[in-house]
Amino acid sequence: TAFASRHGKRHGKKSRLRCSRKPLHVNFKELGWDDWIIAPLEYEAYHCEGVCDFPLRSHLEPTNHAIIQTLMNSMDPGSTPPSCCVPTKLTPISILYIDAGNNVVYKQYEDMVVESCGCR
Amino acid sequence: FQQASISSSSSSSTELDSTKDVGNRKEGKMQRTPQESAEGRTPPEHGLRQKDLRRRPPGQHQGQEPPGRGLRVVPHEYMLSIYKTYSIAEKLGINASFFQSSKSANTITSFVDRGLDDLSHTPLRRQKYLFDVSTLSDKEELVGAELRLYRQAPPTPWGLPARPLHLQLFPCLSPLLLDARTLDPQGPTQAGWEVFDVWQGLRPQPWKQLCLELRAAWGELDAGDTGARARGPQQPPPLDLRSLGFGRRVRPPQERALLVVFTRSQRKNLFTEMHEQLGSAEAAGAEGSWPAPSGSPDAGSWLPSPGRRRRR
């Protein structure tokens, strides 16, 4: 929805970017979390952006539901929104931080980096 | 409100190098004075309360200051090494939990010894190590724990008899032997880490404090050591853990005893974790303690009012 509102007034194929992975650089220092996160202070998280319109490409690994929803959207955009461009594979990152007791902790946080995007 | 720093010798990797400035970073837009940076203090400035709200670590409630507030938190070399090894493995697509050293844990917490040396001059035959493990959650599966003791190089030559020397580790006031090591008094006198498995000592959770006791004892001579036996029955001198390199006075932070606890959390969701931390903060009457982004217009009102939450 956000994508549509931002780009809704634009027309033409160039503005209708296909669902794909885009950079999202996270800087914990800018978030104000560097008081408790020791490392890393920044990392590349990526994000998914773009439209899932008909016909869906196979590399987007659409679910059956997404295929049906996309088909219905293509037939009647007013009745059904397009399927969503979302992360389909995420990987963890290691974080070294200081906990509430001032202990240094290593933790592997799951699902922190987008590896691939798809339509769901 | 507290600082983390990595000593200059700790890392050569670019990633960790970028963290070195944590110890003398800017606070918002205000540059710290060198003295403030060195002592790890937050300069008295307006908006401190708001900043505390924004920058408090998860689970740390307003009014609940960390025990070492104002002190610089220096990550132990061992923890830096764990981070470096596993984060590099991750980048290569290897899951850190596959490493045998990780004991298939996804969380490794280090606790620094809070015990103090007995100042008496009598031989130190037992040494107690104290750890505040109250931050350990009983919701996480404990998969391992080890006590790492740095043994300073004893003066050479030792001058100790040629019989084995046993180091034994017990929970305080308990006869349960957790782990043992045998030292050779005639062997090389290199400094290094002695690692004891203390998993059994931590298993009956939950703990608030963990007290472990190191004891030293002479072993029996081997039956084949005829030379020593021929010299007749000789009473070994009383053992002193200080002379064995386990004294705690005048010891740099990197050489302090470290309890390393390996846990495996089933929680995969950062939001769930945040929510639980926030819930515990609210239970303690400290709503709004979760840090909002520093660029947010009003961190104090970052959280919705109870009425707004109900509507939501």
Side-chain angles (χ1 to χ4, degrees):
Chain A
T1 304
F3 184 85
S5 64
R6 272 193 290 156
H7 300 274
K9 289 184 180 176
R10 285 199 262 163
H11 297 287
K13 284 203 168 182
K14 279 187 180 175
S15 63
R16 295 172 64 82
L17 293 170
R18 293 268 180 189
C19 174
S20 63
R21 192 175 76 152
K22 300 283 181 342
L24 173 63
H25 191 77
V26 176
N27 188 322
F28 287 130
K29 206 167 182 177
E30 287 173 2
L31 289 173
W33 286 12
D34 58 319
D35 274 14
W36 62 281
I37 291 183
I38 299 169
L41 284 184
E42 52 190 333
Y43 79 104
E44 191 57 60
Y46 300 101
H47 76 286
C48 297
E49 190 178 306
V51 291
C52 291
D53 54 1
F54 187 82
L56 290 174
R57 302 291 196 272
S58 61
H59 75 272
L60 295 173
E61 298 174 359
T63 57
N64 288 335
H65 183 274
I67 292 169
I68 297 295
Q69 183 172 337
T70 305
L71 184 60
M72 290 184 69
N73 169 259
S74 70
M75 292 169 68
D76 182 4
S79 70
T80 313
S83 58
C84 297
C85 174
V86 294
T88 50
K89 188 184 176 196
L90 294 135
T91 50
I93 64 164
S94 293
I95 292 183
L96 195 67
Y97 68 92
I98 302 165
D99 72 5
N102 265 5
N103 307 303
V104 176
V105 183
Y106 160 87
K107 187 162 186 169
Q108 195 180 41
Y109 277 96
E110 298 285 340
D111 302 339
M112 295 289 279
V113 178
V114 175
E115 291 297 327
S116 59
C117 299
C119 295
R120 294 290 185 264
Chain B
F1 65 91
Q2 66 178 8
Q3 288 189 319
S5 69
I6 295 172
S7 62
S8 57
S9 63
S10 64
S11 167
S12 58
S13 75
T14 311
E15 189 168 65
L16 281 177
D17 282 347
S18 71
T19 68
K20 285 179 191 168
D21 65 341
V22 180
N24 52 16
R25 64 179 176 271
K26 290 177 183 177
E27 277 292 328
K29 291 180 180 176
M30 186 176 286
Q31 176 70 52
R32 287 182 172 199
T33 64
Q35 189 183 358
E36 283 163 349
S37 293
E39 295 175 3
R41 289 199 307 245
T42 306
E45 60 181 53
H46 294 296
L48 178 65
R49 189 182 171 82
Q50 236 185 45
K51 190 183 316 189
D52 274 2
L53 285 174
R54 277 187 258 180
R55 301 200 165 183
R56 201 172 295 277
Q60 190 169 312
H61 310 153
Q62 197 174 5
Q64 177 197 332
E65 301 301 342
R69 182 186 164 91
L71 295 175
R72 180 182 289 238
V73 178
V74 181
H76 200 279
E77 291 283 350
Y78 180 70
M79 294 304 290
L80 293 174
S81 167
I82 281 179
Y83 169 77
K84 279 188 276 187
T85 306
Y86 295 166
S87 57
I88 288 169
E90 249 166 30
K91 284 169 187 164
L92 296 173
I94 305 165
N95 193 324
S97 60
F98 290 152
F99 281 86
Q100 194 177 3
S101 61
S102 76
K103 305 178 198 298
S104 69
N106 58 13
T107 305
I108 304 172
T109 310
S110 62
F111 301 90
V112 179
D113 172 37
R114 299 181 177 212
L116 296 171
D117 256 2
D118 184 358
L119 296 177
S120 70
H121 295 289
T122 54
L124 185 68
R125 304 181 75 164
R126 297 177 174 200
Q127 175 128 284
K128 284 181 180 171
Y129 296 92
L130 298 171
F131 301 95
D132 178 357
V133 292
S134 57
T135 53
L136 277 182
S137 167
D138 56 0
K139 291 174 185 168
E140 297 191 355
E141 183 189 356
L142 180 72
V143 293
E146 58 189 31
L147 176 66
R148 305 180 69 85
L149 301 179
Y150 188 78
R151 180 170 167 242
Q152 294 168 323
T156 49
W158 285 32
L160 295 175
R163 62 166 63 197
L165 200 162
H166 298 309
L167 290 175
Q168 298 169 318
L169 197 74
F170 297 85
C172 295
L173 307 174
S174 166
L176 173 70
L177 177 65
L178 295 174
D179 202 0
R181 288 274 174 284
T182 302
L183 298 182
D184 177 10
Q186 306 296 317
T189 55
Q190 288 175 339
W193 290 94
E194 298 287 344
V195 183
F196 296 86
D197 187 339
V198 295
W199 184 29
Q200 291 292 336
L202 260 172
R203 284 189 74 178
Q205 286 180 287
W207 288 91
K208 294 280 184 199
Q209 303 281 333
L210 180 70
C211 178
L212 299 169
E213 188 173 271
L214 180 71
R215 301 175 196 171
W218 288 113
E220 294 299 318
L221 286 172
D222 286 341
D225 196 350
T226 49
R229 287 185 180 279
R231 289 193 289 274
Q234 198 177 19
Q235 192 66 25
L239 279 169
D240 186 352
L241 286 169
R242 293 188 202 95
S243 66
L244 294 175
F246 292 103
R248 278 184 291 205
R249 296 181 69 187
V250 201
R251 193 173 261 248
Q254 291 296 330
E255 292 182 8
R256 290 171 70 180
L258 197 68
L259 174 71
V260 183
V261 179
F262 300 80
T263 52
R264 188 165 46 218
S265 169
Q266 297 304 318
R267 281 186 305 204
K268 290 184 177 178
N269 193 328
L270 184 62
F271 178 78
T272 310
E273 196 162 324
M274 285 178 173
H275 190 74
E276 284 182 15
Q277 300 283 5
L278 192 60
S280 62
E282 285 175 357
E287 188 177 4
S289 64
W290 182 258
S294 57
S296 60
D298 182 3
S301 60
W302 180 70
L303 285 170
S305 67
R308 277 181 66 193
R309 186 186 295 120
R310 269 199 298 277
R311 285 199 296 277
R312 183 174 296 169

